Amino acid sequence: MNVILLGAPGAGKGTQAEIISQKLGIPTISTGNILREAVKNGTETGLKAKAFMDAGALVPDEVIVGIVKERVARDDCKNGFILDGMPRTIPQAQALVDQNVPIDKVISIEIADQVIEERMTGRRACAACGATYHITANPPKAEGVCDACGGELTIRKDDAPETVRNRLKVFHEETEPLKAFYEAMGIVTTVEGNQPIENATKDILAALEN
């Protein structure tokens, strides 16, 4: 079962990828990780990617897809894999098709922008020990103070309201059109993202069994 998880930043893709990976015994492939690994291992596509990265340029789609193709050819992907953070754009999705990387199911985790903004802008992290909190879902005992070490809680740059809004804008412009791309292939299932984690997992597993 080769699966793609689609969803806006903060929709819970990473969390669900981890759970589904364990339940189905298939690896999660995060493009950021495999890019770093390919560069470190000095594979042919890794060296190509390194040349772009060293020049401060974006790694082109065909190189990224080449690295994904190398990764999914490994033994641990024999029974399937989960792609997290890839494809991000229609050209990347088309490149996967062109390079014969088969996809069986696409799960679109959907959640309103307003809910995502509340989720992400409410996150706080301890500057000292890195413990994470949420002002409504998991608040510290004392406002702005870490329960674990008494350090100061701060908002990460990624979670600042203007950053979150910008990331959502990019998602709607570049990544959301992928849903229609895969719907044309008849392989998309939509899952409600604004529900308890275990309920979303149940819905995803049910979709993968059908």
Side-chain angles (χ1 to χ4, degrees):
M1 179 71 70
N2 302 340
V3 183
I4 288 174
L5 290 183
L6 280 185
K13 295 187 302 298
T15 302
Q16 292 299 340
E18 219 171 279
I19 299 169
I20 303 296
S21 166
Q22 285 174 347
K23 286 194 181 291
L24 299 183
I26 57 177
T28 295
I29 296 172
S30 142
T31 37
N33 292 347
I34 59 167
L35 200 52
R36 284 187 287 274
E37 196 188 335
V39 169
K40 196 176 91 192
N41 293 343
T43 67
E44 191 185 334
T45 23
L47 292 172
K48 274 187 200 159
K50 188 175 186 304
F52 287 101
M53 288 153 82
D54 288 349
L58 280 175
V59 180
D61 290 345
E62 63 271 19
V63 177
I64 288 186
V65 172
I67 286 173
V68 170
K69 194 174 180 183
E70 273 177 5
R71 178 66 188 84
V72 302
R74 289 205 213 150
D75 279 354
D76 63 342
C77 292
K78 272 208 300 263
N79 296 323
F81 54 82
I82 300 164
L83 280 185
D84 177 19
M86 157 84 192
R88 280 184 196 278
T89 60
I90 298 273
Q92 284 186 358
Q94 189 56 54
L96 282 175
V97 173
D98 295 343
Q99 295 212 27
N100 300 317
V101 177
I103 301 300
D104 302 309
K105 291 271 184 183
V106 175
I107 304 293
S108 179
I109 302 175
E110 308 212 345
I111 189 163
D113 283 8
Q114 188 190 342
V115 176
I116 285 179
E117 280 193 42
E118 284 165 12
R119 266 190 191 183
M120 294 175 80
T121 57
R123 294 198 288 212
R124 299 289 182 272
C126 174
C129 76
T132 55
Y133 299 88
H134 191 281
I135 53 174
T136 52
N138 174 33
K141 292 188 181 78
E143 193 180 332
V145 180
C146 176
D147 294 349
C149 76
E152 184 196 353
L153 298 184
T154 58
I155 299 178
R156 291 189 182 125
K157 192 166 176 285
D158 263 7
D159 295 333
E162 59 279 13
T163 311
V164 172
R165 279 193 282 273
N166 190 46
R167 288 174 70 194
L168 285 169
K169 181 173 174 284
V170 170
F171 167 77
H172 290 307
E173 286 170 2
E174 295 187 2
T175 309
E176 203 168 35
L178 285 169
K179 192 180 169 196
F181 180 90
Y182 287 115
E183 273 173 345
M185 298 180 186
I187 58 173
V188 176
T189 302
T190 299
V191 167
E192 171 57 58
N194 192 22
Q195 59 175 331
I197 289 171
E198 55 276 19
N199 294 9
T201 302
K202 217 178 280 178
D203 289 351
I204 292 170
L205 289 170
L208 295 179
E209 278 163 18
N210 288 335

